[in-house]
Amino acid sequence: MAFCRKCGIEIEDSAKFCPACGEPTHDDPFETAKNTAESKFNELNDTEDCTDKYEKSDIEDNKIISLFAYAGILILVPVIGAKGSPFAQFHIAQGINLIIAEVIIAAAIGVLSAIFSFSASLGAIISIISGVTELAILALIIIGVINCLNGRAKELPVIGKWKIIK
Ligand SMILES: [Zn+2]
């Protein structure tokens, strides 16, 4: 016999859930991984939100054009088209950090590939690292776009704090 870890009643060994309180008897590894990933994401995305510093009308008028700040070279759209918008300037600064992060990662991957070109297995590891960093960049782009659509002036995880431009 086993005991429910929540309410303490005795339950069958084969039971997946406690019949009294419904507590699972074992952790579902998928569920555990999902919860860990979720809390890690929330921790990383718990960044400074300075939406209050911006005028509501500025946010409403410029949140769509600000989306382009996260679209690579199309960052020029708000740079040229939303000069007078502090809200757009906030997202442009975030977008520039993103471009710089992409350039640094591409350079680092290039250098590593050149150094380790003699080894196929190291090359494979570098490809994996490259794939993971591409996914991370994609995640940052999605977060930036969601912040814009929600009308938030919220920093991106990890790279949002970089103060490249004033
Ligand atoms: Zn129970």
Side-chain angles (χ1 to χ4, degrees):
M1 290 301 259
F3 296 92
C4 171
R5 59 186 171 176
K6 193 172 172 201
C7 68
I9 70 155
E10 219 172 84
I11 47 179
E12 298 284 343
D13 284 331
S14 60
K16 285 204 166 71
F17 297 93
C18 168
C21 72
E23 178 77 0
T25 52
H26 300 283
D27 286 321
D28 176 347
F30 178 74
E31 193 68 17
T32 309
K34 198 180 123 222
N35 289 341
T36 309
E38 238 172 55
S39 64
K40 189 72 199 160
F41 174 83
N42 288 337
E43 191 186 304
L44 281 173
N45 200 30
D46 184 20
T47 57
E48 196 172 337
D49 186 332
C50 42
T51 308
D52 293 346
K53 289 191 208 154
Y54 299 88
E55 304 271 350
K56 279 204 168 60
S57 58
D58 176 17
I59 294 173
E60 280 314 307
D61 292 348
N62 294 293
K63 66 183 186 184
I64 298 302
I65 196 169
S66 298
L67 289 174
F68 291 100
Y70 299 98
I73 189 69
L74 292 179
I75 192 172
L76 289 172
V77 174
V79 166
I80 295 163
K83 278 203 179 80
S85 163
F87 183 74
Q89 299 307 311
F90 174 90
H91 286 287
I92 288 167
Q94 295 293 305
I96 288 172
N97 288 0
L98 192 61
I99 290 170
I100 289 165
E102 285 176 272
V103 169
I104 292 171
I105 289 168
I109 299 280
V111 168
L112 287 175
S113 310
I115 293 173
F116 297 113
S117 58
F118 61 90
S119 157
S121 53
L122 284 173
I125 292 171
I126 293 166
S127 301
I128 292 169
I129 295 172
S130 164
V132 168
T133 54
E134 271 172 38
L135 280 179
I137 291 288
L138 183 65
L140 290 177
I141 292 172
I142 292 169
I143 291 168
V145 164
I146 290 172
N147 288 342
C148 266
L149 287 174
N150 288 338
R152 312 299 300 177
K154 190 171 181 311
E155 290 177 349
L156 293 177
V158 188
I159 67 168
K161 278 257 171 289
W162 297 353
K163 295 277 184 276
I164 312 282
I165 58 162
K166 288 245 166 97

